[in-house]
Amino acid sequence: DIQMTQSPSSLSASVGDRVTITCRASQSISTYLSWFQQKPGKAPKLLIYAASSMQSGVPSRFSGSGSGTDFTLTITSLQPEDFATYYCQQSYSSTLTFGGGTKVEI
Amino acid sequence: QLQLQESGPGLVKPSETLSLTCTVSDGSISTGPYYWGWIRQPPGKGLEWIGTISYTGTAYYNPSLRSRVVLSVDTSKRQFSLKLSSVTAADTAVYYCARQRVSGRPGVAAAEPDNWGQGTLVTVSS
């Protein structure tokens, strides 16, 4: 299986901050990488697919970049509703795998 | 607006079979290009893909669970289902059903989930 490693596992930030989350794949996955946001007690929500394509309805402060093995999710000007856990997920392999998550908290 | 809803017992005894159904509303399960998948999340932990099925019934499983999982689909009822046998406490999790996009990668069927059910907690305990 392709292992997905996120860093950091958690971070503290303030409203208005720029936040960057990193996801590294154990092998090259081209741009078959998605990002999800999950709030407590809720299902994950798709933010970014194909490494940098924004899902419909997602605020433009969210952006994704990267290819191969290294990817980033950036949130410019963090908003109160952005405090959540973020997961990356690869679909390069037929066995889909997720990163361990990054919790963004105050 | 597409909605997915999981249903099934919230408590299953060890060694028994966990059975869940996902009902798709406001949309046809046969409408492409989509697949239908199951993902689970143990309490306080990360996400694990269980498997994916097409509306024609072709299923793809996580190798780590393959020996215990069976997926099925009933297009007339707009439902797809999960059966996980020989459960243990390690199978305690929130189980999500989801719609998955078709992958653009040759040899890979399904890609990212773009619509999720609300999830249902299944506890394995005697």
Side-chain angles (χ1 to χ4, degrees):
Chain A
D1 294 357
I2 298 175
Q3 306 302 315
M4 307 300 294
T5 303
Q6 289 183 233
S7 60
S9 57
S10 66
L11 65 90
S12 295
S14 301
V15 173
D17 283 354
R18 178 186 179 95
V19 169
T20 299
I21 298 168
T22 297
C23 178
R24 175 164 289 175
S26 60
Q27 67 179 74
S28 177
I29 59 169
S30 183
T31 56
Y32 292 93
L33 190 284
S34 301
W35 289 98
F36 296 85
Q37 175 194 67
Q38 187 179 34
K39 296 181 179 179
K42 300 294 186 182
K45 172 187 173 184
L46 178 64
L47 299 176
I48 303 286
Y49 62 96
S52 61
S53 296
M54 192 178 304
Q55 174 70 350
S56 175
V58 173
S60 59
R61 62 181 180 273
F62 290 93
S63 64
S65 65
S67 66
T69 60
D70 295 316
F71 303 85
T72 58
L73 173 70
T74 300
I75 311 171
T76 58
S77 189
L78 196 69
Q79 297 301 299
E81 59 268 30
D82 300 337
F83 290 95
T85 300
Y86 294 85
Y87 292 94
C88 61
Q89 175 248 318
Q90 66 79 23
S91 54
Y92 181 86
S93 162
S94 56
T95 302
L96 307 183
T97 50
F98 292 84
T102 296
K103 186 174 184 179
V104 177
E105 49 195 352
I106 300 173
Chain B
Q1 171 108 12
L2 180 74
Q3 292 186 349
L4 298 93
Q5 179 68 58
E6 305 88 353
S7 59
L11 181 64
V12 181
K13 289 182 169 56
S15 79
E16 295 190 346
T17 296
L18 178 161
S19 296
L20 294 174
T21 295
C22 183
T23 302
V24 180
S25 61
D26 298 333
S28 170
I29 202 169
S30 303
T31 300
Y34 296 107
Y35 285 78
W36 306 91
W38 291 94
I39 297 114
R40 69 180 182 178
Q41 185 172 37
K45 296 188 178 181
L47 299 160
E48 179 181 34
W49 172 70
I50 299 170
T52 297
I53 192 165
S54 71
Y55 76 91
T56 61
T58 301
Y60 309 85
Y61 300 113
N62 190 322
S64 69
L65 297 168
R66 185 192 308 274
S67 64
R68 299 195 291 130
V69 175
V70 176
L71 300 187
S72 60
V73 62
D74 186 334
T75 55
S76 65
K77 295 182 179 179
R78 292 188 298 188
Q79 293 179 335
F80 59 105
S81 299
L82 163 70
K83 291 188 184 298
L84 179 66
S85 62
S86 304
V87 298
T88 69
D91 295 309
T92 293
V94 175
Y95 286 76
Y96 295 101
C97 61
R99 186 181 75 174
Q100 293 179 248
R101 294 172 172 165
V102 172
S103 175
R105 173 162 161 72
V108 177
E112 66 278 348
D114 66 352
N115 273 275
W116 298 63
Q118 65 184 23
T120 186
L121 174 63
V122 179
T123 301
V124 178
S125 175
S126 55

